[in-house]
Amino acid sequence: MVGSMTSEVFYHQPLLKVLQILLAARTVIAALMWLLVVTWDKSSSFYDDRGRKRRKIAPDGVDIEDRLESLITRVGERSTSSLESNLEGLASVLEADIPNYKHQIMKILCQCVVNLPEKLTVYTTLVGLLNAKNYNCGGEFVEMLVRNLKEALKTGEFENARMMVRFLSDLVNCHVLVATSLLQMFDSFVEVTLEDNIPQVRSDIYVYLVLSSLPWVGRELFEKKESDLNSMLVTIENYLSKRQKIHLPALRVWLNDGPHLQEEYLDCLWAQIKNLRNNKWIEKQILRPYLAFDGVLCDALQHTLPQIIPPSHNKSMVYPLPRVVFRLFDYTDVPQGPVLPGSHAIERYLIEEQINRIIHTHHLERKDCAAALLEYPAKAKIPLNYMIVEVMFGQLFELPRPPYIEIFYGSTFIELCKNQPTSMPEVLAQASEMLFDRLDSMHSICIERFVHWFSYHLSNFQYKWSWEDWVECVAMDPNAPKSKFVREVLLKCLRFSYYQRVVESVPESFAALLPPEPKPIYKYEQEGAGSLPGTMHAHKLMSAIKSKCTPEEAAVLLKDLPNVYPNGQENENSSFNPLKIDVFFSTLLHLGSKSISHSFAALAKFHPNLKSLAEFDDGKICLLKVLYETWKNNQQMMVVLVDKLLRTEVVECSSVANWLFSFEMQHDFTSFYVWEIMHSTIKKMSRHVDQLQQEVDSAHDKQEAAKRKEADGLEVGDDDIPSDEAIERMEEKLEAATSAQKNLFLVIFQRFIIVLTEHLARCESAGVDYNTPWYKWVIERLQQVFLMHHELVFRYINTLEQLLFTSDIDIHILEVFQQFCALRS
């Protein structure tokens, strides 16, 4: 293997042989040019005609840096040779290349630290071997990695920083770093807990940087610096015992701790570290290839880490939010084979950490991800399928949001089932049953994600499921979690299939939970329509539209309609005419009901009419009510059409929010599609503000660039430089959009407070328990708005505290706000 590695790098071939090959091909000029390149002083700058540094290219056209990168990144993969021989061979190859390509090699190794942390000990061993061969090289690598670490801490890239801290820790095992200097770095991190007037999340992340590295280096520190290590651990323990955990209820997947304790991530890791300490820091999970080179590494000179002081806290720094550790299985759930490590065993943390890292590395390609997970190196020693399922569901249910898009988990589970058809589907079915059994205490956000995953999974496996096992939910309250789950799953399945297919997929006993057939309702053609005040005009309008009338001609047909509601009740509000809106929009929706594209075409053609009819907010809400009356049996159509109305600016985000909280929507208020529309509306508002902000920033950048050119005496073209007046107009638009965004959140939270306060007051006056299934859905939907949009909501936290979430409101509502505030406190 060593020989193959050496021959793969072209510049280790004798120069004469290269010349002979080139001359044999009658490329004398190429041979002379090659001779010129290889005899060029490698330390000198070498630029092309555009002033860019040339990359050295091998005779076969392969870039040298690419080949170096391939050699380094692929070490530790499957090979006919042992890992130790591969590392030894690669170290020899790189040692020979260091004089000419030292910076490139150092840079690639630093990238591997953060991009391939699952092979951390492989790379620490490689650095250890290089350090033993070339002391200066080892020192320069440490300096580069420390610079990267300082930059990551400064810019808030804490996950990358965690991988670098862990790498530096493992370099102590490879005799590259002095243990004392690593402990000094740890101490400087832990001292952050003693700072005044900082958010708890700042202290948390620095403690986490230390704790998450101790499984790798704890044994070495215990043997060489036991008293210093214990002193640091005492400081950590004191900090953890005083931490506030007000945020914990907002992040729990389940409301109670049965059968598994739901722990905050630092508490769980601390319990695992204490167990590791009780076992004298001995674990059996981490691959440590450097042990095979102990004789070589022990003789190497060691480096001292430069002082690493955490950057001072500033208000603009965003620290990672706390998490709750997800637990689904224990050893009793695994029927046979290897035993599942206990919740507080360090092995549980290490295996989960490695699975998480594999997912992170391959999350953009489901096939590679599934294959890499199933090829986990220690799979024979653990119940791998159970641990994969638990980790993936843990990510899917993570609050505020999963690390990756939801469809990734569904598609990867399908690939896992395809790769292991005899075992993975069984584990996944067992997990689904356990999740269903615990639905009553599951957070509404997680139930919604469970619905999304389960319906998608069914759609890929012919909708086959043992439905009879869940028949208990048929007779339950429609808002009971289990009943709501099955209803929403069947509704979601409609988006993947067609109505009759969904009906046939469940037993007849589930008929009560089936959704209605997703057809539109057009009141002006139903029985009794003759008594409605707008029926005659509706039929005339329908004929005119079928005859391809213009928007102006359609408007004329509505001119004589009285300002009344469709039921004949008089409308005292002159800003909109509800009958005109009802006749026109319901007819338009009916004629476009054949498909989404037909509906879009109708909305596009008669866009001026809709804008005119719904000019003010009351008219916009009336328009949305007509949409609901027409399409209430087809939730997907409502979601799509509301989005279209927002994009075409027929309705506004605040009017959508007010409509969703209106009396007419009470019946569907806990339905999942309502909140799909709500969150889509908030995101649309956010994208609009972000786009305007980018335009303003870009305009300022162009102005600054022009000023710099003028200062340097360069010619500046006027075409691309925005004027001060243009920038002022952009800033006014941005200010208006930001104000609209703040108003949207004020509307949403105010309406939440009203409906929840009314419910609590009713229950108190009637002397009944307020904690009904309806209350659970609504209070947790309030939490969901806070959590899903936490970056945006934090911008307006002071306004919300002053205007809405005051001490006057009910404590149950105020607690949700306080839990949210504690996420960053």
Side-chain angles (χ1 to χ4, degrees):
M1 182 63 187
V2 175
S4 66
M5 279 188 176
T6 307
S7 63
E8 191 175 337
V9 184
F10 79 91
Y11 41 81
H12 289 287
Q13 296 175 345
L15 183 60
L16 181 59
K17 186 175 181 181
V18 176
L19 286 169
Q20 288 173 343
I21 295 170
L22 293 172
L23 286 168
R26 297 182 181 181
T27 54
V28 179
I29 296 174
L32 292 172
M33 289 297 294
W34 173 238
L35 180 61
L36 181 63
V37 169
V38 297
T39 56
W40 191 276
D41 179 8
K42 297 294 193 300
S43 63
S44 65
S45 296
F46 193 39
Y47 295 92
D48 65 12
D49 56 354
R50 296 185 181 180
R52 297 174 304 193
K53 194 167 183 179
R54 282 184 180 164
R55 294 166 69 97
K56 299 174 178 64
I57 304 298
D60 58 3
V62 179
D63 183 275
I64 295 175
E65 290 183 27
D66 289 344
R67 187 165 284 178
L68 276 172
E69 184 175 339
S70 176
L71 281 172
I72 294 172
T73 56
R74 292 174 63 186
V75 66
E77 295 180 4
R78 284 186 175 182
S79 169
T80 54
S81 303
S82 67
L83 174 59
E84 289 75 15
S85 65
N86 286 347
L87 281 169
E88 194 172 12
L90 180 57
S92 298
V93 170
L94 296 180
E95 181 195 8
D97 292 333
I98 283 172
N100 299 327
Y101 304 103
K102 179 170 61 179
H103 178 75
Q104 291 93 325
I105 292 170
M106 300 292 106
K107 183 180 174 183
I108 294 168
L109 285 170
C110 283
Q111 290 170 345
C112 290
V113 171
V114 295
N115 295 332
L116 298 171
E118 61 269 23
K119 297 198 290 185
L120 178 142
T121 56
V122 173
Y123 289 115
T124 53
T125 305
L126 179 60
V127 172
L129 292 171
L130 289 174
N131 182 65
K133 296 171 182 289
N134 188 323
Y135 175 76
N136 291 331
C137 171
E140 289 185 37
F141 171 77
V142 170
E143 288 175 6
M144 182 181 286
L145 190 57
V146 167
R147 284 197 301 273
N148 291 352
L149 172 59
K150 289 180 177 178
E151 183 63 22
L153 293 174
K154 185 178 177 181
T155 57
E157 297 174 358
F158 290 106
E159 186 57 23
N160 286 349
R162 189 167 74 94
M163 296 302 106
M164 294 180 213
V165 170
R166 182 178 292 173
F167 196 92
L168 291 170
S169 302
D170 205 47
L171 287 180
V172 173
N173 298 320
C174 301
H175 304 279
V176 176
L177 292 177
V178 178
T180 306
S181 66
L182 180 72
L183 271 171
Q184 288 172 348
M185 181 185 74
F186 282 172
D187 285 336
S188 71
F189 288 172
V190 174
E191 284 173 7
V192 170
T193 63
L194 307 176
E195 294 176 358
D196 296 325
N197 301 319
I198 61 166
Q200 182 174 280
V201 283
R202 171 174 166 82
S203 306
D204 285 355
I205 191 59
Y206 281 99
V207 169
Y208 186 51
L209 291 177
V210 175
L211 287 180
S212 64
S213 299
L214 285 178
W216 277 259
V217 75
R219 179 70 182 178
E220 192 76 8
L221 297 179
F222 168 70
E223 291 177 349
K224 294 181 178 178
K225 295 289 176 182
E226 182 180 2
S227 61
D228 293 339
L229 174 61
N230 288 336
S231 175
M232 181 190 73
L233 293 174
V234 167
T235 306
I236 291 175
E237 187 166 30
N238 288 337
Y239 168 71
L240 293 176
S241 65
K242 298 172 184 175
R243 284 178 74 237
Q244 296 290 323
K245 285 178 271 192
I246 299 170
H247 58 271
L248 189 57
L251 301 178
R252 292 161 62 107
V253 175
W254 288 288
L255 303 179
N256 54 46
D257 285 322
H260 304 295
L261 181 66
Q262 291 181 83
E263 293 178 289
E264 222 258 3
Y265 77 118
L266 278 180
D267 290 340
C268 185
L269 180 54
W270 175 241
Q272 292 163 333
I273 291 295
K274 286 196 295 185
N275 275 337
L276 179 61
R277 180 176 60 181
N278 294 339
N279 292 330
K280 299 194 179 300
W281 300 96
I282 296 173
E283 55 71 42
K284 299 177 181 178
Q285 190 61 40
I286 298 175
L287 176 71
R288 300 183 186 269
Y290 38 76
L291 296 176
F293 301 100
D294 195 51
V296 176
L297 299 178
C298 280
D299 295 334
L301 295 173
Q302 293 175 281
H303 303 271
T304 301
L305 270 175
Q307 189 176 22
I308 302 174
I309 300 175
S312 301
H313 172 63
N314 63 76
K315 291 183 179 180
S316 63
M317 176 62 71
V318 177
Y319 299 98
L321 298 179
R323 293 177 287 108
V324 171
V325 177
F326 179 81
R327 290 281 180 260
L328 182 62
F329 301 118
D330 60 28
Y331 70 95
T332 61
D333 297 313
V334 182
Q336 57 187 0
V339 177
L340 182 71
S343 180
H344 286 162
I346 196 63
E347 286 74 21
R348 187 74 166 259
Y349 169 77
L350 294 173
I351 296 165
E352 289 171 349
E353 177 79 359
Q354 289 168 312
I355 291 174
N356 276 313
R357 295 311 308 183
I358 291 171
I359 292 172
H360 177 74
T361 301
H362 301 288
H363 73 273
L364 295 177
E365 179 45 68
R366 67 186 190 282
K367 291 181 182 290
D368 293 345
C369 187
L373 287 170
L374 295 174
E375 290 171 4
Y376 182 78
K379 58 185 176 182
K381 302 177 183 178
I382 59 170
L384 181 61
N385 287 352
Y386 282 87
M387 298 206 71
I388 290 172
V389 169
E390 183 175 79
V391 169
M392 288 187 63
F393 273 128
Q395 286 195 6
L396 177 61
F397 296 143
E398 186 176 318
L399 298 172
R401 60 174 72 99
Y404 316 108
I405 59 173
E406 288 185 36
I407 193 66
F408 158 74
Y409 301 98
S411 59
T412 305
F413 272 133
I414 290 168
E415 289 300 323
L416 288 166
C417 290
K418 288 179 181 177
N419 290 354
Q420 285 201 346
T422 58
S423 56
M424 184 58 78
E426 184 180 343
V427 177
L428 209 48
Q430 183 180 349
S432 301
E433 292 285 359
M434 294 171 75
L435 290 170
F436 181 81
D437 289 341
R438 298 187 64 187
L439 277 176
D440 288 343
S441 64
M442 198 176 199
H443 200 295
S444 300
I445 307 173
C446 300
I447 294 177
E448 186 173 58
R449 294 179 194 169
F450 185 23
V451 166
H452 293 168
W453 168 76
F454 190 69
S455 56
Y456 174 74
H457 196 77
L458 287 177
S459 72
N460 281 274
F461 290 92
Q462 301 178 340
Y463 300 95
K464 292 180 179 178
W465 185 251
S466 51
W467 293 105
E468 291 292 357
D469 295 342
W470 293 355
V471 73
E472 59 178 310
C473 67
V474 176
M476 291 180 177
D477 180 330
N479 276 321
K482 290 181 179 178
S483 176
K484 176 73 75 176
F485 173 80
V486 174
R487 287 176 189 273
E488 293 291 343
V489 164
L490 296 176
L491 278 165
K492 199 73 175 176
C493 286
L494 275 180
R495 302 195 188 187
F496 300 117
S497 184
Y498 54 95
Y499 183 72
Q500 194 57 37
R501 181 72 180 86
V502 174
V503 171
E504 292 170 356
S505 67
V506 295
E508 290 184 7
S509 54
F510 278 73
L513 301 181
L514 282 167
E517 194 168 357
K519 290 182 177 180
I521 300 170
Y522 185 53
K523 70 172 72 174
Y524 296 110
E525 282 190 346
Q526 291 189 322
E527 187 178 347
S531 62
L532 297 175
T535 301
M536 188 188 310
H537 288 78
H539 290 170
K540 287 180 181 178
L541 180 65
M542 189 188 303
S543 299
I545 293 175
K546 285 181 177 179
S547 301
K548 303 189 184 304
C549 72
T550 65
E552 293 77 15
E553 291 169 341
V556 171
L557 292 173
L558 302 175
K559 189 172 64 172
D560 298 331
L561 280 171
N563 188 9
V564 297
Y565 287 94
N567 60 5
Q569 182 182 347
E570 196 164 332
N571 176 34
E572 296 178 357
N573 189 341
S574 60
S575 67
F576 75 107
N577 185 320
L579 186 58
K580 277 187 180 182
I581 292 173
D582 189 84
V583 168
F584 182 76
F585 196 39
S586 61
T587 302
L588 199 63
L589 291 173
H590 173 67
L591 291 172
S593 63
K594 188 175 182 181
S595 68
I596 291 175
S597 57
H598 281 79
S599 295
F600 280 7
L603 294 180
K605 180 175 181 180
F606 294 98
H607 181 261
N609 304 67
L610 295 172
K611 289 280 285 184
S612 174
L613 290 169
E615 184 178 358
F616 300 103
D617 199 49
D618 287 338
K620 298 178 195 300
I621 295 173
C622 181
L623 194 81
L624 291 165
K625 289 176 180 178
V626 174
L627 172 64
Y628 172 72
E629 289 175 2
T630 305
W631 280 118
K632 60 184 175 184
N633 290 335
N634 190 325
Q635 298 180 356
Q636 185 178 16
M637 204 68 171
M638 271 193 285
V639 171
V640 170
L641 290 176
V642 169
D643 181 75
K644 184 67 173 179
L645 292 171
L646 280 168
R647 281 192 283 120
T648 54
E649 299 181 356
V650 173
V651 299
E652 296 172 355
C653 295
S654 59
S655 53
V656 172
N658 277 313
W659 163 61
L660 293 175
F661 280 97
S662 66
F663 174 80
E664 288 79 5
M665 295 298 291
Q666 279 186 347
H667 182 267
D668 280 12
F669 195 59
T670 59
S671 297
F672 287 11
Y673 84 92
V674 167
W675 302 98
E676 183 181 357
I677 292 172
M678 181 73 81
H679 295 299
S680 174
T681 301
I682 296 172
K683 289 175 184 175
K684 193 169 295 296
M685 184 80 251
S686 173
R687 284 195 295 269
H688 178 56
V689 172
D690 291 343
Q691 183 180 356
L692 292 175
Q693 183 67 62
Q694 289 172 6
E695 290 175 4
V696 170
D697 292 342
S698 175
H700 281 298
D701 290 343
K702 287 178 180 179
Q703 267 198 348
E704 290 297 321
K707 288 177 182 177
R708 285 195 298 270
K709 282 185 177 181
E710 286 180 351
D712 294 339
L714 299 174
E715 186 178 347
V716 179
D718 295 333
D719 296 340
D720 296 331
I721 306 171
S723 64
D724 290 338
E725 293 79 9
I727 292 180
E728 190 175 340
R729 287 194 297 271
M730 290 181 190
E731 289 175 338
E732 287 174 357
K733 286 178 67 176
L734 174 61
E735 187 178 350
T738 304
S739 178
Q741 185 181 57
K742 182 195 289 189
N743 181 59
L744 175 62
F745 281 117
L746 287 171
V747 167
I748 292 170
F749 290 128
Q750 184 182 45
R751 299 303 294 267
F752 261 119
I753 291 171
I754 291 171
V755 297
L756 286 167
T757 302
E758 288 175 351
H759 169 80
L760 292 166
R762 278 196 307 271
C763 292
E764 186 178 0
S765 62
V768 297
D769 185 9
Y770 70 89
N771 196 14
T772 62
W774 180 91
Y775 173 79
K776 178 184 182 297
W777 287 111
V778 178
I779 197 75
E780 290 176 3
R781 288 298 185 182
L782 171 59
Q783 276 186 334
Q784 184 181 28
V785 174
F786 276 122
L787 292 173
M788 274 189 69
H789 311 284
H790 62 90
E791 298 96 341
L792 297 175
V793 179
F794 269 113
R795 296 180 191 174
Y796 311 116
I797 197 81
N798 293 329
T799 304
L800 293 173
E801 191 170 19
Q802 292 168 8
L803 298 181
L804 296 179
F805 294 95
T806 63
S807 57
D808 300 334
I809 66 172
D810 191 279
I811 187 60
H812 299 92
I813 305 171
L814 189 58
E815 279 179 350
V816 174
F817 180 70
Q818 291 169 342
Q819 291 164 11
F820 169 71
C821 294
L823 288 175
R824 290 194 182 180
S825 64

